[in-house]
């Protein structure tokens, strides 16, 4: 890992050294902040971006994608891979944690997902450390922000008169080197200068171990209470940077067709519905339990990282006003 | 309306009618009201009602089959309950309604950057928000949802207990005007408008889930035999989704706006729904959810109906009942 210090202007110049990449940054459009393609010439001087409505998941694991095309009697199963090279700039450290969770699922266990793999290889994810907390975020309780590198390729710190870039990526290190006035070999965030970080005044949330969470799996009353006013829509899971469940459909055009995959959601009726008509998760109680335990017990148990980034998107979007922070507290309070 | 009166009245209903549970709202961590299921007299001390509520609580009714349920209801919710009773989704005697006055509900999407801010309270046509040490007072009228601005039934039509108070008057008529303008557009331009709206839809189905009239256990979008549309959120399929839903709601929608407020993408659902309702009202002189025992407009045939009823086995041009 390399820590590079650059004058602000120099970093803006250096970012022009990535001609083969299309740039994506958060951009406000009406009510929403979207990840939009932009030119490296038009970047804001202070390199501060609003928090995007959707996370980096949108670009690395889109809501709908074609997996392959087929002809009747002649199935060609060559995956359709996205070869676009993208540099995503201006997302938050929590979003990079989200990517890490997706990597754990798609790349760390067999079968490796070729679609995600190619996109990840072709993406440079450069986050910006947060100067303040947003109304709904709680990354500090989960250890995923606001200054962590997580799954990003580089993170930018605001050092007032200069910027610090912690790079975990060969391409970025190489292309920024000549613009830096100070370069240092480091092992991680804890060894670098990070400027001023946001201060938290509220108490951190109680996070239990994967085993402790798992021990609550049969507590019907708990899951009943949590899910009692959930609508079973997918607003939360679609926007969540770590939710990766998908569904597969074939679309036929006469003798030809394509196989597509689209987001699924554990909050839907159809989720885990078996062909026999039996569903092991028949009501919202079981579905909410799946959503919570997947994030706080199964992913941490399997991959050693939390499956929630603390971004607060689900809190903002939930039409039933369900607040993940309250759920975390309710679960921790429940007698074990 | 005072919160104390509401609590006492709901507790009285809970006790007298020996209810299993009570549907209402409670304050969330952000200060905005969120739906809550109350299961005891003590828990009802937290029940609350003000313009920061968003969902139509009647949407939860079908999940409590066989239970004795209490619910607080302003005009639109009470009308949804009437329809649920008329459509056989709940029986009147299982239901205890505490009617509440309504000043309209806030559309949080209109708050823009203030969306994540704490809601404090609402009084005399204003509401207050707090961010850090800063308090902002805003006029309610500017932030109400479109459906509420247009509401012509703000007081409850069905109730067992009633909380006195004044409800919003003077519907703006804006929605009606907007529908008229859309109807007057050329078909091509109209399609363009709805394509633009459909583009935004991400098919999260929050609208359907927030709607008390969308209670089908299996929705047409989930059918694979036949498959009406794919799961890809593209304009063509999104239009099938949005338009078919509207057809299923024509003459059943009470224009509560629950779906529109729940939609994370701000898709213009209200103009389509209002258009469908206006058509039903003009053709059949029918307004949904006003009378118990009434048949749904599209669920019965009357001789005065303006069009022929084409049924199987009838020769063309012959009226079905003549
Ligand atoms: S569960 Fe909510 S807070 Fe956690 S990562 Fe997902 S959207 Fe963000
Ligand atoms: S957004 Fe809220 S209502 Fe919708 S599924 Fe998620 S928790 Fe439930
Ligand atoms: S369609 Fe929308 S406005 Fe109409 S009843 Fe359903 S939630 Fe209310
Ligand atoms: S209209 Fe809105 S709420 Fe309904 S499915 Fe589309 S995005 Fe979701």
């Amino acid at each position: 890992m390399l820590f590079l210090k650059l004058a602000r202007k120099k970093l803006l110049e250096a970012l022009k050294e990535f001609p083969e990449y299309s740039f994506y940054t958060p951009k406000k459009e009406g009510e929403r902040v979207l990840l939009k393609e932009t030119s490296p010439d038009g970047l804001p001087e202070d390199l501060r971006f609003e928090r995007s409505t959707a996370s980096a998941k949108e670009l690395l694991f889109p809501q709908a994608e074609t997996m392959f095309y087929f002809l009747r009697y002649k199935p060609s199963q060559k995956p359709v891979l996205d070869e676009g090279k993208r540099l995503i700039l201006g997302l938050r450290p929590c979003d990079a944690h989200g990517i890490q969770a997706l990597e754990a699922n798609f790349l760390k266990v067999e079968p490796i997902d070729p679609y995600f793999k190619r996109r990840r290889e072709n993406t440079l994810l450069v986050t910006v450390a947060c100067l303040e907390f947003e109304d709904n975020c709680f990354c500090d309780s989960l250890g995923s922000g606001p200054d962590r590198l997580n799954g990003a390729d580089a993170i930018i710190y605001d050092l007032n008169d200069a910027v610090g870039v912690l790079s975990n990526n060969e391409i970025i290190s190489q292309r920024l080197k000549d613009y830096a006035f100070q370069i240092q070999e480091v092992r991680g965030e804890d060894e670098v200068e990070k400027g001023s970080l946001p201060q938290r005044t509220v108490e951190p949330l109680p996070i239990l171990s994967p085993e402790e969470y798992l021990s609550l799996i049969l507590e019907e009353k708990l899951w009943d209470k949590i899910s009692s006013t959930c609508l079973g829509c997918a607003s939360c899971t679609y926007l969540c940077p770590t939710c990766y469940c998908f569904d597969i459909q074939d679309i036929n055009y006469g003798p030809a067709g394509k196989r597509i995959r689209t987001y699924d959601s554990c909050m839907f009726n159809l989720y885990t519905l078996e062909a026999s008509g039996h569903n092991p998760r028949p009501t919202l109680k079981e579905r909410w339990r799946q959503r919570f335990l997947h994030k706080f017990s199964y992913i941490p148990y399997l991959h050693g990282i939390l499956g929630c980034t603390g971004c607060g998107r689900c809190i903002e979007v939930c039409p039933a006003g369900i607040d993940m922070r309250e759920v975390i507290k309710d679960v921790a309070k429940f007698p074990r | 309306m005072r919160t104390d009166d509401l609590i006492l009245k709901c507790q009285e209903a809970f006790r007298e009618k020996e209810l299993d549970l009570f549907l209402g709202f409670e304050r969330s961590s952000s200060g905005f009201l969120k739906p809550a299921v109350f299961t005891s007299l003590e828990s009802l001390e937290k029940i609350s009602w003000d313009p920061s509520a968003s969902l139509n609580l009647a949407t939860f009714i079908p999940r409590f089959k066989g239970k004795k349920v209490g619910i607080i209801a302003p005009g639109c919710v009470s009308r949804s309950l009437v329809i649920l009773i008329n459509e056989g989704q709940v029986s009147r005697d299982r239901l205890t309604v505490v009617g509440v006055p309504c000043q309209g509900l806030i559309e949080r999407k209109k708050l823009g950057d203030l969306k994540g801010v704490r809601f404090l309270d609402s009084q005399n046509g204003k509401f207050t928000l707090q961010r850090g040490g800063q308090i902002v007072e805003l006029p309610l009228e500017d932030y109400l949802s479109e459906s509420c601005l247009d509401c012509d039934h703000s007081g409850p039509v069905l109730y067992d207990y009633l909380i006195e108070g004044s409800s919003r008057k003077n519907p703006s008529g804006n929605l009606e005007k907007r529908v008229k303008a859309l109807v007057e557009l050329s078909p091509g331009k109209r399609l363009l408008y709805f394509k633009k709206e459909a583009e935004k839809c991400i098919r999260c189905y929050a609208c359907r889930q927030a709607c008390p009239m969308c209670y089908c256990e299996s929705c047409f979008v989930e059918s694979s035999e036949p498959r009406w549309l794919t799961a890809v959120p593209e304009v063509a399929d999104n239009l099938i989704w949005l338009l078919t839903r509207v057809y299923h709601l024509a003459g059943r929608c009470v224009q509560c706006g629950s779906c529109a407020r729940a939609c994370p993408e701000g898709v213009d659902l209200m103009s389509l729904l209002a258009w469908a309702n206006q058509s039903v009202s003009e053709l059949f002189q029918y307004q949904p959810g006003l009378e118990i025992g009434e048949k749904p407009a599209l669920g019965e045939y009357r001789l005065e109906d303006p069009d022929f009823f084409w049924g199987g086995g009838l020769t063309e041009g012959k009226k079905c009942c003549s």
Side-chain angles (χ1 to χ4, degrees), chain A residues 230-233 235-236 267 288 291 318-320 322:
Chain A
C230 171
L231 296 172
C233 64
S235 306
C236 52
M267 307 320 263
W288 239 101
R291 174 160 172 244
C318 178
I322 298 176

Side-chain angles (χ1 to χ4, degrees), chain A residues 31-32 230-231 250 323, chain B residues 29 63 109 209 227 265:
Chain A
E31 303 276 315
R32 300 171 301 167
C230 171
L231 296 172
D250 285 350
D323 185 331
Chain B
S29 48
R63 47 173 103 161
K109 287 188 281 284
Q209 301 305 100
R227 186 166 70 199
E265 303 298 321

Side-chain angles (χ1 to χ4, degrees), chain B residues 256-274:
Chain B
C256 62
S258 185
C259 54
R261 284 187 296 275
C263 174
E265 303 298 321
V267 177
D268 174 16
L269 301 170
M270 288 324 295
S271 66
L272 281 170
L273 290 161

